Amino acid sequence: QVQLVESGGGSVQAGGSLRLSCAASGTTYRSYCMGWFRQAPGKEREGVARIYTATRSTYYADSVIGRFTISQDNDKNMVYLQMDSLKPEDTAMYYCAANWRVGDTCDDDNDYMKWGQGTQVTVSS
């Protein structure tokens, strides 16, 4: 059974950094794309970053460009989200997700087949 497990969340002050990790297990098939999403209380889930695992092409939401970096380690079946210059508005539950459908745009959370349980990020001012 495929599982995604996030880790690395926590509480930091504005301007600080966190590195989220997502460990994939239960499959030998590399996903087509991996995404990081977040959801703050009372708000809709939003895509933060995604990576196309074969090409390592990346995409970022406008709100995190220049501050967040998504990366992958295929040997370890890991995807990371390095978050720098954190702001209070980055406070949310962060989820990683995987999509194995080759050719999808991966820009819609409905594209993703498997989700982790989430890790909380809290940024104080």
Side-chain angles (χ1 to χ4, degrees):
Q1 183 176 356
V2 177
Q3 279 193 314
L4 301 178
V5 179
E6 302 96 335
S7 60
S11 297
V12 295
Q13 290 191 323
S17 297
L18 284 172
R19 187 194 194 206
L20 305 185
S21 299
C22 174
S25 63
T27 180
T28 57
Y29 292 99
R30 188 173 64 188
S31 60
Y32 175 67
C33 57
M34 296 287 293
W36 282 98
F37 295 79
R38 66 186 180 187
Q39 188 167 22
K43 294 188 177 181
E44 290 187 357
R45 184 167 59 194
E46 63 170 341
V48 174
R50 63 181 181 264
I51 186 166
Y52 298 84
T53 58
T55 63
R56 297 180 182 260
S57 297
T58 57
Y59 167 84
Y60 298 92
D62 289 345
S63 58
V64 307
I65 288 174
R67 301 188 299 121
F68 290 11
T69 303
I70 188 171
S71 62
Q72 64 185 36
D73 184 333
N74 288 337
D75 290 339
K76 296 180 180 179
N77 276 345
M78 298 287 292
V79 175
Y80 306 98
L81 186 68
Q82 177 67 41
M83 305 187 296
D84 299 318
S85 303
L86 283 162
K87 304 176 181 179
E89 51 263 44
D90 295 319
T91 295
M93 185 72 80
Y94 282 71
Y95 301 89
C96 72
N99 177 0
W100 283 266
R101 249 188 323 260
V102 175
D104 271 0
T105 58
C106 301
D107 60 356
D108 187 321
D109 55 0
N110 290 320
D111 289 339
Y112 293 82
M113 303 158 184
K114 196 68 179 180
W115 293 78
Q117 82 290 349
T119 186
Q120 178 67 38
V121 172
T122 303
V123 185
S124 58
S125 58

